[in-house]
Amino acid sequence: MLEDKNPERTSLSELGEFGLIEHITKHFNTNHTSTVKAVGDDAAVIDASEKQTLITTDLLVEGVHFDLSYMPLKHLGYKAVMVNLSDVYAMNGTAEQITVSIAVSNRFPLEAIEELYAGIQLACETYNIDLIGGDTTSSTKGMLISITAIGKADKEDVVYRNGAKESDLIVVTGDLGAAYLGLQVLEREKQVFQVDPKNQPDLDNYTYLIERQLKPEARKDVAGFLKELGVKPTAMIDISDGLSSEIMHICSQSKVGCKIYEDKLPLDPQVISASEEFNMDSTMIALSGGEDYELLFTVPISDFDNIKGNPNFSIIGHVTAENQGMNLVTRAGQEMELKAQGWNALKED
Ligand code: ADP
Ligand code: MG
């Protein structure tokens, strides 16, 4: 995991807004030829070339989307970038720039903002992203972060949610449910800590789960894998809210139904053991957990041989006619209607 903790506390008011912006952006370099002007003018300038431009934004609010009692600021900065890059990759595009806007209350010292930006910078370096601007303001309570990612793709490469066709295969990258269980582990430890701050948690059995929650990686690699295989998805989406609600987006926009097979859902062994420990159904978690930032896509059945056996991909079902609805085939062979429950719904159970 990422290093954190800086014992110094410098008040943000000592620097002022311009001092702060200068301080947090000075260590960033730009790499892309499409970045004509980054931080420092009234607007950034991008040379959009002949490709299509992809733009996506996410707003993260303290207490709603993140809890700083177990989310280190450096991880938060990293994850906030991932959430956005994931949306660009879900369009089968390349991400090149981000803007970062923050609102912070006076509870945060400069060192906290430095940690946040250290995570943002690590994400930018790892994923080859230019930070080109943003906005900085104060909030009366807590922290807000809004990131916009800008990417590009050739017109013929862009993949939308609405292109899935009957008989297409449904494919997912990586594995499912770990990020949600990581959150459960962290919330449990937070409660234990509140009761007895001397209690040192033993998290060895949950390292993968916690990593998936605190340091997710966006699937930058998938577009390249698909290109190598000569496969172009008919529809694609990233899994931020949980598999079933994302499949529903593809089905409703493509006007199709689907059949998902319970025994095909990719689960890490830690997901299976932690589900048992938390007395939760691992299938339910895989379907509704959320925050996995994997990609879900459909491909024509003629691509079966290209996809099957590839360790990056799991074929979990197929597309059906719209009037057949969206169904899960259980291990026992029963068909159940898929319910669109994001992780919020799961939490209320
Ligand atoms: P303006 O008054 O035109 O809004 P600002 O003083 O807010 O300009 O910003 C100055 C420059 O710094 C701009 O290029 C802006 O995009 C950039 N910037 C401001 N805040 C941030 C931030 N939190 N992260 C990255 N860049 C920022
Ligand atoms: Mg501004």
Side-chain angles (χ1 to χ4, degrees):
M1 268 183 264
L2 305 171
E3 287 296 309
D4 201 3
K5 294 282 167 287
N6 190 331
E8 310 271 319
R9 284 185 72 87
T10 310
S11 160
L12 289 181
S13 57
E14 280 175 41
L15 282 119
E17 184 190 328
F18 301 127
L20 175 63
I21 294 170
E22 146 78 6
H23 186 83
I24 58 186
T25 57
K26 68 181 174 202
H27 301 297
F28 284 79
N29 298 315
T30 59
N31 287 316
H32 291 285
T33 52
S34 56
T35 304
V36 179
K37 177 76 192 178
V39 173
D41 214 309
D42 296 311
V45 179
I46 288 176
D47 185 349
S49 80
E50 71 287 3
K51 297 194 179 210
Q52 294 199 322
T53 303
L54 311 171
I55 301 181
T56 175
T57 296
D58 270 285
L59 173 62
L60 303 179
V61 178
E62 183 179 357
V64 179
H65 302 102
F66 58 90
D67 180 337
L68 290 175
S69 57
Y70 49 72
M71 179 60 124
L73 281 157
K74 190 170 179 184
H75 288 77
L76 177 63
Y78 193 90
K79 183 167 174 175
V81 178
M82 289 310 120
V83 169
N84 281 277
L85 300 188
S86 179
D87 283 319
V88 174
Y89 302 144
M91 301 300 290
N92 205 28
T94 318
E96 297 195 331
Q97 289 92 7
I98 54 167
T99 65
V100 177
S101 298
I102 56 170
V104 278
S105 72
N106 56 15
R107 175 181 124 223
F108 294 95
L110 172 65
E111 288 72 19
I113 311 303
E114 286 176 343
E115 282 298 314
L116 180 76
Y117 269 77
I120 292 171
Q121 188 169 10
L122 181 62
C124 285
E125 286 165 3
T126 310
Y127 286 76
N128 193 17
I129 302 296
D130 294 346
L131 174 72
I132 59 162
D135 201 21
T136 307
T137 190
S138 54
S139 84
T140 49
K141 199 168 162 280
M143 178 184 281
L144 290 89
I145 307 167
S146 175
I147 297 190
T148 296
I150 301 154
K152 62 186 185 187
D154 285 321
K155 186 171 183 221
E156 58 275 15
D157 286 342
V158 181
V159 177
Y160 296 90
R161 295 178 178 182
N162 65 3
K165 299 273 179 305
E166 202 178 328
S167 91
D168 280 357
L169 301 171
I170 300 173
V171 184
V172 68
T173 63
D175 55 59
L176 300 169
Y180 176 81
L181 282 165
L183 184 64
Q184 302 311 302
V185 171
L186 290 165
E187 287 196 337
R188 183 176 67 184
E189 293 315 320
K190 177 184 170 184
Q191 274 158 21
V192 172
F193 183 80
Q194 279 168 345
V195 175
D196 177 10
K198 283 195 240 55
N199 190 304
Q200 281 296 316
D202 178 7
L203 299 175
D204 285 357
N205 294 331
Y206 315 108
T207 47
Y208 180 66
L209 308 179
I210 292 170
E211 186 97 20
R212 293 282 281 177
Q213 170 58 223
L214 293 185
K215 193 169 177 280
E217 303 289 350
R219 296 306 305 253
K220 183 185 186 195
D221 50 354
V222 169
F225 292 150
L226 291 173
K227 209 153 212 159
E228 268 170 43
L229 295 167
V231 172
K232 187 192 169 191
T234 49
M236 186 150 67
I237 192 167
D238 74 320
I239 306 179
S240 46
D241 292 339
L243 181 74
S244 54
S245 75
E246 310 299 2
I247 286 188
M248 289 195 175
H249 287 309
I250 287 188
C251 286
S252 63
Q253 293 204 24
S254 301
K255 299 192 170 44
V256 293
C258 69
K259 210 174 257 193
I260 302 296
Y261 293 84
E262 182 179 25
D263 64 345
K264 305 284 186 213
L265 297 175
L267 304 178
D268 186 85
Q270 282 192 9
V271 166
I272 295 168
S273 57
S275 299
E276 277 170 21
E277 190 185 326
F278 281 89
N279 218 346
M280 296 172 102
D281 178 19
S282 58
T283 300
M284 181 67 184
I285 289 170
L287 290 173
S288 305
E291 294 202 288
D292 290 316
Y293 299 107
E294 296 294 342
L295 297 177
L296 171 72
F297 58 90
T298 53
V299 294
I301 192 152
S302 55
D303 279 320
F304 178 75
D305 286 331
N306 291 320
I307 298 285
K308 130 191 120 175
N310 187 312
N312 299 295
F313 303 131
S314 301
I315 300 172
I316 60 168
H318 59 263
V319 177
T320 62
E322 187 175 23
N323 62 14
Q324 295 191 22
M326 290 167 265
N327 297 292
L328 177 75
V329 181
T330 66
R331 283 194 193 87
Q334 279 175 317
E335 277 195 34
M336 287 166 49
E337 199 188 330
L338 263 187
K339 297 250 166 31
Q341 288 171 324
W343 63 276
N344 281 322
L346 195 77
K347 227 173 170 179
E348 278 151 23
D349 283 349

